[in-house]
Amino acid sequence: MPRCFSFTEVKNWCLQSCTFTKSGLRSTVTDLKDGTVMHCWVPKTRNDSKPDLLLIHGLGANALWQWANIIPNIIHYFNVYVPDLIFFGDSYSTSPERSESFQAQCLMKLMEANSVKKMSIVGLSYGGFVAYSMASQLKDNVERVVICSAGVCMEERDLRDGMFRVSDLEEASRILVPQSPEKLRELISYSFFKPPPLGLLPSCLLADFIHVMCTEYVEEKRDLIRAIPRDRNVSKISRICQPTMILWGEYDQIFPLELGHRLKRHLGDNAELVVIKNAGHAFNVEKTKEYYNHLKAFLVDFQQLKHQ
């Protein structure tokens, strides 16, 4: 039976038209000339008096859904860039590389193509891994970093030692890149401190979300997940030098809070850990106002205090 109406597509259209375009952003596609093509929302008119801010999404919903709740506010203070990571949205690559380092390198080329030389970065979940890698590789170009619920300091052995609710990596990849309403319900239950009543979510609505968001590059996305813990050890993770804020939901069931404390210990006095109470992995949805206030305090207010 043909699909006559898609709630997910309608919401995508609304976010594109009523949030991103209305906020002064435009959709662009950049060919990096190495088999990689990247889509990014960029300022229609760049304001040289404003600093630049890169927002890197995670798994699950697309960049539109993940950043729409803060774009109308943060746009007043920054030239904002919102890319689709490789194998998400309209970004893709012929490269077999699946590491967060490769994603970071592609973003570096994208920002260079947009004539951005210095920037601050916010990374959500998987996007936090990429943000950390960018900060490590671009010490002179990245000014401030926000890592949101990204288990950068996880180790391969953590899967064996029972740190995670789902310790089987293949099962985790099936949940994080869901292909059935049942798996999407699992993802929702792990993502929220207080998830919506899962039994009341119609399967047709969940199937529509999957059809729009999750059916392209399925194995490539799962390969990105498989690459995260491979040979990962804290001793091999570089210490970034930029001022860093680590944001974490108190009851995160995807990357437990212990990983936030571990990252703070790894970075020392250069980082601050902020725990958002009564929130899970998706604290950007559950506690949007508190989340935005922390971002503003770290990325905007310090500048105003510095110039007083």
Side-chain angles (χ1 to χ4, degrees), residues 163-182:
M163 172 176 280
F164 299 98
R165 290 285 301 274
V166 179
S167 58
D168 182 87
L169 192 57
E170 290 306 306
E171 178 61 16
S173 72
R174 288 191 288 270
I175 294 170
L176 291 168
V177 189
Q179 296 300 295
S180 69
E182 292 72 29

Side-chain angles (χ1 to χ4, degrees), residues 144-177:
R144 294 174 83 79
V145 183
V146 182
I147 304 294
C148 303
S149 289
V152 172
C153 280
M154 70 171 290
E155 297 185 315
E156 189 171 19
R157 66 181 183 181
D158 291 329
L159 290 166
R160 300 189 300 270
D161 292 346
M163 172 176 280
F164 299 98
R165 290 285 301 274
V166 179
S167 58
D168 182 87
L169 192 57
E170 290 306 306
E171 178 61 16
S173 72
R174 288 191 288 270
I175 294 170
L176 291 168
V177 189

Side-chain angles (χ1 to χ4, degrees), residues 219-230:
E219 278 308 305
E220 288 85 351
K221 289 174 182 173
R222 288 176 175 171
D223 282 343
L224 298 177
I225 295 166
R226 295 177 184 119
I228 292 172
R230 191 175 297 137

Side-chain angles (χ1 to χ4, degrees), residues 23-49:
S23 296
L25 299 177
R26 62 185 177 91
S27 174
T28 65
V29 175
T30 302
D31 187 345
L32 302 184
K33 308 298 184 183
D34 59 0
T36 300
V37 172
M38 296 204 73
H39 172 264
C40 187
W41 289 88
V42 307
K44 290 179 184 175
T45 305
R46 190 172 181 278
N47 185 338
D48 290 336
S49 68

Side-chain angles (χ1 to χ4, degrees), residues 226-256:
R226 295 177 184 119
I228 292 172
R230 191 175 297 137
D231 298 324
R232 200 175 194 95
N233 189 290
V234 172
S235 64
K236 299 178 182 178
I237 299 170
S238 62
R239 289 180 173 86
I240 60 175
C241 58
Q242 297 89 344
T244 302
M245 181 167 68
I246 305 163
L247 283 174
W248 224 278
E250 181 181 15
Y251 298 105
D252 193 323
Q253 297 184 77
I254 292 180
F255 289 117

